[in-house]
Amino acid sequence: MSARTVSRVVNNEYGVAEATRKQVLEAIEELGYRPNLLARALITKRSGTVGLVGGDMTDPYFPALAEAVHHRVSESGRTTFFACTGNDPHRQDMVLRSLWSYAVDGVIVFPAPDSIDQLRGYARLGLRIVVVDDVVDAPGIACVRFDLVTGARLGVRHLLDSGRRRVGMLASELSPPRRRRRESGFRAAFDDAGLDHGAIVRAPPTVQGGEAGIDRLLDLQPDLDAILAYNDVMAIGAVRAVEARGRRVPDDIAVVGFDDVELSAYVRPALTTIRLDRSLLSIEVTRALHSFIDAPGDRFDPVVLPVELVVRQSA
Amino acid sequence: MSARTVSRVVNNEYGVAEATRKQVLEAIEELGYRPNLLARALITKRSGTVGLVGGDMTDPYFPALAEAVHHRVSESGRTTFFACTGNDPHRQDMVLRSLWSYAVDGVIVFPAPDSIDQLRGYARLGLRIVVVDDVVDAPGIACVRFDLVTGARLGVRHLLDSGRRRVGMLASELSPPRRRRRESGFRAAFDDAGLDHGAIVRAPPTVQGGEAGIDRLLDLQPDLDAILAYNDVMAIGAVRAVEARGRRVPDDIAVVGFDDVELSAYVRPALTTIRLDRSLLSIEVTRALHSFIDAPGDRFDPVVLPVELVVRQSA
DNA sequence: CTGAAAGCGCTTACAG
DNA sequence: CTGAAAGCGCTTACAG
């Protein structure tokens, strides 16, 4: 009974006598043998695992997406591990280095700011990467993103249609210029309408960031009557800050967010928001990954996902 | 220049001439050499990574804890990967198998129901495990939990003190009998007071579960005037369901949760809850893990963490 | 259908 | 201070 034979049985390969197979299986059972995946991965350069690396677990957008990705990935028999970068390129480097050197079959990443060259480097090393919300043209890197420009337009139009005219924007300070597509859409919508948009303020994309941002925005432009926020948690912070200043949402100031996180339906007033459908994203992102893993090529056409306005109470 | 020498330089070992070291370092730089951690781990049985496996990422308790654990773990130069079991023992088995076979230095796990023997098995295989919220006496397994019995007592007493007498409980259907410590405390508090407690209903520990549970609880006991919920998300579901039935919180029915998730302060009415301090938990859990990793022993005294009542608006 | 050999890329004693 | 050999636990051609 050679290692070769055992290897065949363990990996369900053809060409092993039924009697032998049974014998091996029994021995495996009896000895509690478990193949060392490390050794296997060292040779095959494959580990049967996938990494999902996000920026901030604490943003409720991430967990449900992670769960969805896990499910889709597990259909191919792989297990997925999550990691977070805190939107710090250096921390992202450590995470990717670990993941790469443990031979993950691929990673899905929400890139930290200014980390595109880093990603290119890992792709060159052979890591298969799916980038969310950015576009980088390089072999081994696939890109999936939402149509945020249209999203912002949808939000602004809804605000304009309901008579708002002094609309400010609460943007994320973590977005590098190339990724400020919500801001582009925001501006474009006003250009379309031949109107002027209000101030744009950048803050951390968190509840606290939303609160702080509103304070600055309202100082800049006290007569504001509507706000488009970078994401739902900022929008929630915005609502809190607006109310803390004694103004009401949506009567005095309307608020529109991005994401459509579960929370947004529970909060009061329930949030009007641009839905970035996580189910859709999980499908496309794992489709891209699987195409990389199972196919020989290293190219994948960028995909742009549609968004949708969800009208609730805040605007 | 042998592999041996390179190995020495890469691992910062003593006993290599300065000139040689410099030479090696230059070569490394030039060739873009990166040590294969897989090969290293195959020999050393250590990978410099730690796994944090939770039940449900979607419960907001997890992400912030994960972030805190990550920070503490990274202080020892390790990187941590997260995984989720969906509270399914089989899925937990797959996750632990992966983690174990990639030679993680240790794992912190919120165990799925009825998976204690599974954990024992992995401990026997050499995996170092820190179990949260359960107690299992086995070499290689450390246990850290909150004093939930006291927590439930605190909650009930607060309710009793404010004049409530018909108090029901919304428990989790995922807790096996041995882990129903909130329920024990709930009962004990009423025994202490010489009073009868209301119905106990079990449901999934989610917002929807809380809503469904309340419907059943209120059918069972229409005159309920207070509820102790398994966690904050269930409590939030409870508040929603109570209000959907036309009753008010806290006027008609008071609600107390467990966890003290950020959300609980934002929701309206803001949730009164038993805080299960995640900062504390992250400290103790990584302390246990590090003691396992750095010390030779495989025993660690169980630690019980204190809890605290946070009074807000819902009770 | 099955085995003996080589090798993945490192580290671990052991010499020199 | 540095090198040659063995080995971690597998898989990959290659024989038989």
Side-chain angles (χ1 to χ4, degrees):
Chain A
M1 198 77 61
S2 72
R4 178 67 251 252
T5 307
V6 175
S7 176
R8 276 221 159 93
V9 173
V10 168
N11 293 304
N12 276 313
E13 284 169 38
Y14 288 100
V16 42
E18 202 41 53
T20 319
R21 155 163 275 131
K22 215 158 230 163
Q23 219 176 120
V24 172
L25 254 18
E26 274 165 20
I28 284 178
E29 180 64 26
E30 191 175 332
L31 278 63
Y33 166 81
R34 308 224 178 182
N36 184 321
L37 304 189
L38 229 41
R40 178 183 292 169
L42 181 58
I43 295 176
T44 62
K45 311 298 184 204
R46 292 239 176 152
S47 69
T49 59
V50 158
L52 172 60
V53 0
D56 179 13
M57 291 198 89
T58 268
D59 181 335
Y61 191 77
F62 187 72
L65 174 70
E67 190 63 25
V69 167
H70 162 89
H71 266 101
R72 306 219 173 271
V73 167
S74 71
E75 282 166 10
S76 68
R78 274 173 264 261
T79 112
T80 120
F81 292 111
F82 312 110
C84 274
T85 65
N87 290 306
D88 171 8
H90 179 251
R91 193 168 144 192
Q92 177 175 294
D93 194 40
M94 294 194 55
V95 166
L96 290 182
R97 186 161 162 14
S98 257
L99 251 9
W100 167 75
S101 68
Y102 289 109
V104 291
D105 297 345
V107 299
I108 298 160
V109 13
F110 287 73
D114 306 313
S115 62
I116 297 306
D117 285 340
Q118 182 189 106
L119 292 177
R120 279 214 175 78
Y122 279 102
R124 233 175 285 122
L125 250 30
L127 186 61
R128 296 314 198 179
I129 305 177
V130 177
V131 166
V132 180
D133 197 36
D134 203 338
V135 14
V136 11
D137 182 36
I141 302 187
C143 301
V144 178
R145 63 186 198 276
F146 282 103
D147 184 0
L148 298 172
V149 173
T150 298
R153 279 187 136 111
L154 250 34
V156 171
R157 238 174 263 159
H158 175 70
L159 257 10
L160 255 22
D161 286 350
S162 62
R164 312 286 171 161
R165 282 298 175 274
R166 295 175 300 280
V167 185
M169 178 161 181
L170 214 47
S172 165
E173 65 177 22
L174 296 179
S175 304
R178 50 182 295 173
R179 266 164 66 187
R180 294 179 187 157
R181 290 177 289 131
R182 291 172 184 80
E183 298 179 43
S184 310
F186 178 75
R187 291 201 183 82
F190 282 95
D191 288 349
D192 292 351
L195 296 170
D196 289 328
H197 61 75
I200 298 182
V201 152
R202 298 199 185 89
T206 61
V207 174
Q208 290 78 7
E211 293 177 330
I214 281 301
D215 285 340
R216 282 162 47 212
L217 205 50
L218 249 25
D219 287 346
L220 243 50
Q221 197 170 346
D223 64 346
L224 222 59
D225 63 11
I227 294 158
L228 179 67
Y230 174 84
N231 64 7
D232 284 353
V233 291
M234 279 191 107
I236 289 170
V239 170
R240 287 170 60 81
V242 164
E243 293 181 341
R245 288 206 169 202
R247 306 222 217 162
R248 289 177 317 168
V249 177
D251 299 356
D252 301 325
I253 299 186
V255 176
V256 174
F258 268 88
D259 280 354
D260 192 26
V261 124
E262 289 69 23
L263 184 51
S264 305
Y266 295 152
V267 115
R268 251 174 269 161
L271 223 57
T272 292
T273 188
I274 312 296
R275 175 179 296 151
L276 272 27
D277 191 292
R278 283 171 286 191
S279 167
L280 205 59
L281 181 57
S282 73
I283 290 172
E284 291 304 325
V285 109
T286 79
R287 186 211 300 288
L289 199 64
H290 283 139
S291 98
F292 265 171
I293 295 173
D294 301 327
D298 56 8
R299 290 283 174 180
F300 190 86
D301 286 334
V303 355
V304 178
L305 269 20
V307 301
E308 180 187 358
L309 174 70
V310 179
V311 178
R312 284 195 277 249
Q313 304 166 343
S314 69
Chain B
M1 198 78 63
S2 72
R4 177 68 251 252
T5 306
V6 175
S7 177
R8 275 218 161 96
V9 173
V10 169
N11 294 303
N12 277 312
E13 285 170 38
Y14 288 100
V16 43
E18 203 40 54
T20 318
R21 153 163 277 130
K22 217 160 228 162
Q23 218 177 120
V24 171
L25 253 19
E26 274 166 19
I28 283 177
E29 180 65 27
E30 191 174 329
L31 278 61
Y33 166 82
R34 306 222 177 183
N36 183 320
L37 303 190
L38 228 42
R40 179 184 290 168
L42 182 58
I43 295 176
T44 62
K45 310 297 184 205
R46 291 240 177 149
S47 69
T49 60
V50 157
L52 171 60
V53 0
D56 180 12
M57 290 197 91
T58 269
D59 181 335
Y61 190 77
F62 187 71
L65 174 69
E67 190 62 24
V69 167
H70 163 90
H71 266 103
R72 307 222 170 267
V73 167
S74 72
E75 283 165 10
S76 68
R78 273 173 265 260
T79 114
T80 119
F81 292 110
F82 311 111
C84 273
T85 64
N87 290 305
D88 171 8
H90 178 251
R91 193 169 144 191
Q92 178 174 295
D93 193 39
M94 294 194 54
V95 165
L96 290 180
R97 185 160 163 13
S98 257
L99 252 8
W100 168 74
S101 67
Y102 290 109
V104 292
D105 296 346
V107 300
I108 298 161
V109 13
F110 287 73
D114 306 314
S115 62
I116 297 305
D117 285 341
Q118 181 190 108
L119 292 177
R120 280 214 173 80
Y122 280 103
R124 234 175 284 121
L125 250 30
L127 185 62
R128 296 316 197 179
I129 305 176
V130 177
V131 166
V132 180
D133 197 37
D134 203 339
V135 14
V136 10
D137 182 36
I141 302 188
C143 300
V144 178
R145 64 187 197 276
F146 282 103
D147 184 0
L148 298 173
V149 172
T150 298
R153 279 187 137 111
L154 250 33
V156 170
R157 239 174 260 158
H158 176 69
L159 258 8
L160 256 21
D161 287 350
S162 63
R164 312 286 171 159
R165 282 299 174 273
R166 294 174 302 280
V167 185
M169 176 162 184
L170 214 46
S172 166
E173 64 178 23
L174 295 179
S175 303
R178 50 183 297 174
R179 266 163 67 188
R180 294 180 185 155
R181 289 177 288 130
R182 290 171 183 81
E183 298 180 43
S184 309
F186 178 75
R187 290 202 183 83
F190 282 94
D191 289 349
D192 293 352
L195 295 171
D196 289 328
H197 60 76
I200 299 181
V201 153
R202 298 199 184 91
T206 61
V207 174
Q208 289 78 6
E211 293 177 329
I214 281 300
D215 285 339
R216 283 162 48 212
L217 205 51
L218 247 25
D219 287 345
L220 244 50
Q221 197 169 349
D223 64 345
L224 222 60
D225 63 11
I227 294 159
L228 180 67
Y230 175 84
N231 64 7
D232 284 353
V233 291
M234 277 192 108
I236 288 168
V239 170
R240 287 170 60 79
V242 164
E243 292 180 342
R245 287 206 169 202
R247 308 223 216 161
R248 290 178 316 172
V249 177
D251 299 355
D252 301 324
I253 299 186
V255 176
V256 175
F258 269 87
D259 281 352
D260 193 26
V261 124
E262 289 71 22
L263 184 51
S264 305
Y266 294 151
V267 116
R268 251 174 269 158
L271 224 56
T272 291
T273 188
I274 313 297
R275 174 179 296 152
L276 272 29
D277 190 294
R278 283 171 287 191
S279 167
L280 206 58
L281 181 57
S282 74
I283 290 173
E284 292 304 325
V285 110
T286 80
R287 185 210 300 288
L289 199 63
H290 283 140
S291 99
F292 265 170
I293 295 173
D294 301 327
D298 56 9
R299 290 284 174 180
F300 191 87
D301 287 335
V303 355
V304 177
L305 270 19
V307 301
E308 180 188 357
L309 174 70
V310 179
V311 178
R312 284 195 276 248
Q313 304 166 341
S314 69

